[in-house]
Amino acid sequence: MDLKMELTVMAANVAALLKKRKCKVSVVESSAGGLISASLLSIPGASNYFVGGGVIYTRDARRGLLGLPEKAATMRGSCEEYALIAAQAMRERLSTDWALCETGASGPSNNSYGDSAGHCCIAIAGPIEIAITIETESDQREQNMWHFASAALELLEATLRETAGD
């Protein structure tokens, strides 16, 4: 299965769970470059579960779009703590049941924090909160972007299933 099709299938699963529960989601993404939001929006009926989000790629965007306080706006962006803070901020800002954050280094070189290409942190904020780190050990930018988006959707689906006992 190609990556685009894989993301579409994953997004459809997430969409079905969100619609079934009448829940709304918002997204903060960085190194996935909008692939997570695009995948969720590609499913018909997206307005029933997707509120919005943003590609937060710089410190200026953190302050301006997320409204993060200076301490959080200047902290290392590719860590689980930041990912969770950003997810919480987007959830609050858009009043959603769930928020998903992805942040990392897609490559081909390290990011400005010194993280190797292929490093990514993903967080979910909602009735339960979780943050994980993944390492692809690849410097292939586009491949990492697709992998990060896939991992984020996978975590969101697993979290939704866990909270509902599916």
Side-chain angles (χ1 to χ4, degrees):
M1 178 182 306
D2 72 24
L3 292 173
K4 180 181 176 188
M5 183 59 71
E6 179 182 329
L7 288 184
T8 302
V9 169
M10 295 176 86
N13 291 339
V14 168
L17 290 167
L18 290 166
K19 286 192 274 189
K20 178 180 175 184
R21 292 167 179 79
K22 295 180 176 36
C23 289
K24 304 277 186 179
V25 69
S26 53
V27 176
V28 177
E29 52 193 307
S30 175
S31 48
L35 290 173
I36 299 165
S37 295
S39 297
L40 290 167
L41 287 167
S42 73
I43 307 304
S47 60
N48 293 313
Y49 60 87
F50 187 87
V51 174
V55 177
I56 309 298
Y57 204 68
T58 64
R59 287 186 171 136
D60 289 341
R62 290 184 199 183
R63 281 188 291 275
L65 297 174
L66 284 179
L68 294 181
E70 188 64 28
K71 179 184 177 225
T74 58
M75 73 186 299
R76 181 174 164 258
S78 294
C79 67
E80 292 179 11
E81 180 184 12
Y82 167 77
L84 190 54
I85 289 169
Q88 291 165 339
M90 185 61 80
R91 180 179 184 223
E92 183 178 321
R93 210 157 178 80
L94 295 182
S95 300
T96 56
D97 304 290
W98 296 95
L100 167 66
C101 176
E102 168 280 324
T103 181
S106 52
S109 58
N110 297 353
N111 65 15
S112 61
Y113 308 106
D115 298 304
S116 299
H119 170 87
C120 177
C121 294
I122 302 165
I124 306 286
I128 63 171
E129 295 183 338
I130 186 170
I132 65 168
T133 300
I134 62 168
E135 303 284 348
T136 67
E137 299 181 4
S138 170
D139 66 356
Q140 300 299 305
R141 184 176 184 83
E142 185 177 355
Q143 180 183 12
N144 282 332
M145 291 172 71
W146 288 95
H147 188 83
F148 298 166
S150 175
L153 288 171
E154 183 178 340
L155 182 62
L156 180 56
E157 180 180 354
T159 303
L160 289 168
R161 289 191 187 286
E162 180 182 328
T163 59
D166 288 355

